[in-house]
Amino acid sequence: MSVILQSTITCPRCGHVAEETMPTDACQWYYECKGCGEVLKPLQGDCCVFCSYGTVPCPPVQLEGKNSCCSSGSGCCD
């Protein structure tokens, strides 16, 4: 399986859309919207902003499923 590194984030506050490259070595906990400046944080149960607001989940979740990332205590974000 090939990992997709590009995800399109949509700001829930202003609707601004931006294509971003996801890190492969850690979850991204914060993202500043380029439209309104709002600092996005993961929704409860998600490990990163890409899983909450992106079109593609983060690389660890793509490879091993939702329970493989930070919310499960696997240490991907340590």
Side-chain angles (χ1 to χ4, degrees):
M1 175 180 179
S2 160
V3 176
I4 299 167
L5 296 179
Q6 296 297 116
S7 185
T8 302
I9 290 184
T10 302
C11 177
R13 180 176 175 206
C14 73
H16 185 267
V17 176
E19 185 170 310
E20 301 290 346
T21 301
M22 295 182 281
T24 58
D25 59 347
C27 292
Q28 187 166 334
W29 283 85
Y30 302 103
Y31 175 81
E32 185 175 341
C33 175
K34 293 175 177 137
C36 67
E38 178 82 4
V39 176
L40 305 181
K41 299 173 191 162
L43 298 172
Q44 185 174 0
D46 285 341
C47 63
C48 69
V49 293
F50 292 105
C51 289
S52 294
Y53 306 105
T55 55
V56 178
C58 68
V61 171
Q62 288 181 55
L63 289 171
E64 299 177 34
K66 186 167 180 135
N67 292 330
S68 69
C69 209
C70 303
S71 59
S72 67
S74 70
C76 75
C77 302
D78 297 340

